[in-house]
Amino acid sequence: MNTYYNISTPSTVNLIPRTTGIGRLGSVSIANTHTVKFSIDLYLQDSDTTNFYILKGTTLEPGVALVLDGDNIFFDTTDLALYIVVGAASSGTSS
């Protein structure tokens, strides 16, 4: 199953909530369609709200895409949720 998010404002988004079962990702693609760079954090969070960062403070320039893929991206969603934080851009527009 593919899930797509269009995040156009600075925010924190729960991409995969804690549920029951194993979260296995084929890939995570993050693209900057804006005219200015922005920062991202991608992390797993446990029920005690402890964060385990996959990416922290990573900057994406305009027109750049970042793809994380492989069979090693999996986690137990009974214990962990996947979040992304998109940092504020100083100015610019979506394309």
Side-chain angles (χ1 to χ4, degrees):
M1 178 175 91
N2 295 326
T3 303
Y4 301 94
Y5 293 90
N6 183 6
I7 304 168
S8 59
T9 59
S11 59
T12 300
V13 177
N14 184 341
L15 299 174
I16 300 176
R18 273 186 298 279
T19 57
T20 56
I22 302 298
R24 183 175 297 273
L25 305 177
S27 67
V28 175
S29 299
I30 304 165
N32 183 352
T33 61
H34 295 267
T35 59
V36 295
K37 62 185 176 183
F38 63 84
S39 67
I40 56 166
D41 295 340
L42 184 69
Y43 61 90
L44 298 169
Q45 186 178 81
D46 67 14
S47 58
D48 294 328
T49 65
T50 302
N51 296 337
F52 303 93
Y53 286 89
I54 299 166
L55 300 170
K56 183 163 177 66
T58 302
T59 300
L60 282 185
E61 297 289 334
V64 170
L66 173 65
V67 178
L68 305 172
D69 63 0
D71 291 334
N72 58 348
I73 305 173
F74 62 92
F75 53 95
D76 186 348
T77 57
T78 60
D79 294 324
L80 299 167
L82 181 66
Y83 285 86
I84 189 168
V85 177
V86 178
S90 57
S91 64
T93 58
S94 297
S95 54

